[in-house]
Amino acid sequence: YNAEKFIESAVNSIMLQEEKDISIILINDGSTDLSGNICERLSSKYSNIKTLHISNRGAAKARNIGIDFVLRNNDKGYISFLDADDLWVGNTITKTLVREIIDFNPSIVGFSSLVSNPNASRVKILHQYSNENKIVEKYKFDDLYIKGTFAAHFYNIDLFRNENIRFNEKCRFNEDVIFSSKMLFFSEKFMFLDTFFITLPNHRLER
């Protein structure tokens, strides 16, 4: 919503990944600035980008509309979420990593995450997983909550389809926490990576 200053940078951070088989669904949540026009321009430029325009109904509804669109058009794969003012880090999604994910077929892939100020002159770790426990079965996973940000994770499309998991549109706060808890409850296998995948660059950092 009203992210004309950020949306193109967010999209570019995805397009720069080594793995190119990535579909991008842009949800214009009733923006009153030029966000919708920018989304349409990006959709026209790239065949893997689709823009959906809706009236302003909030982040949870926008994400749910995106989820339903993906389910209608895909039988397998993973879903991740990126706010318009956040970025994927460098070249994180490599072809080698994608092959590992396909081979193991985890319910959730968890990446490490960073937070920074807008010009990235100050950066701190939001959370970093350890590669010592890269692959974990549910019965060995005691810490049942998403660490860092929920957006630094890939969620197997089967979780959405089989368990009908969506964001709670009635929640005004912490809908991502409720969503993450449901995802973890129904997940069977996890892959955790110490690789930094997402940065939240438009946040104030405590000195």
Side-chain angles (χ1 to χ4, degrees):
Y1 175 76
N2 285 356
E4 63 181 10
K5 295 180 180 179
F6 310 111
I7 184 67
E8 194 155 8
S9 294
V11 170
N12 286 340
S13 75
I14 301 173
M15 299 298 293
L16 290 173
Q17 302 297 313
E18 180 182 281
E19 176 57 55
K20 300 304 180 185
D21 188 15
I22 301 174
S23 297
I24 301 172
I25 315 301
L26 303 177
I27 312 295
N28 175 31
D29 187 26
S31 297
T32 57
D33 63 0
L34 295 177
S35 296
N37 293 337
I38 295 171
C39 290
E40 285 295 341
R41 175 168 56 79
L42 292 169
S43 296
S44 299
K45 183 177 180 180
Y46 300 107
S47 61
N48 63 322
I49 298 179
K50 172 70 176 177
T51 295
L52 304 178
H53 299 277
I54 63 174
S55 58
N56 182 228
R57 301 171 72 180
K61 182 63 176 181
R63 291 169 185 155
N64 287 340
I65 287 174
I67 292 167
D68 291 337
F69 180 87
V70 171
L71 293 180
R72 288 195 302 269
N73 291 278
N74 298 272
D75 295 323
K76 58 183 179 180
Y78 288 81
I79 295 177
S80 187
F81 304 91
L82 183 67
D83 286 347
D85 58 347
D86 296 334
L87 302 168
W88 282 10
V89 174
N91 186 24
T92 305
I93 312 304
T94 63
K95 294 183 181 299
T96 299
L97 174 59
V98 170
R99 285 195 296 270
E100 289 183 14
I101 293 172
I102 292 173
D103 289 343
F104 182 61
N105 192 35
S107 304
I108 295 176
V109 182
F111 296 86
S112 302
S113 49
L114 300 165
V115 62
S116 73
N117 59 349
N119 64 7
S121 62
R122 296 177 61 233
V123 178
K124 73 175 183 179
I125 296 173
L126 187 61
H127 177 73
Q128 185 169 20
Y129 286 113
S130 170
N131 262 1
E132 293 179 4
N133 298 309
K134 183 175 180 180
I135 296 175
V136 183
E137 301 288 344
K138 185 170 187 175
Y139 71 93
K140 295 180 180 179
F141 187 47
D142 298 325
D143 225 354
L144 281 174
Y145 66 95
I146 290 289
K147 296 181 179 179
T149 169
F150 84 101
H153 297 74
F154 287 174
Y155 305 93
N156 196 306
I157 199 172
D158 289 339
L159 286 171
F160 297 95
R161 178 171 286 117
N162 298 339
E163 308 301 339
N164 196 33
I165 299 174
R166 300 293 188 275
F167 289 88
N168 188 329
E169 297 172 19
K170 295 181 180 180
C171 283
R172 299 187 63 183
F173 306 101
N174 296 325
E175 73 278 356
D176 54 328
V177 176
I178 298 172
F179 167 83
S180 299
S181 299
K182 289 180 180 178
M183 280 291 180
L184 286 168
F185 180 81
F186 288 106
S187 296
E188 296 298 330
K189 295 189 294 184
F190 309 87
M191 178 182 287
F192 298 118
L193 302 166
D194 62 0
T195 306
F196 289 105
F197 166 61
I198 191 171
T199 181
L200 315 179
N202 295 288
H203 298 256
R204 292 181 179 178
L205 296 182
E206 295 180 2
R207 295 187 179 275

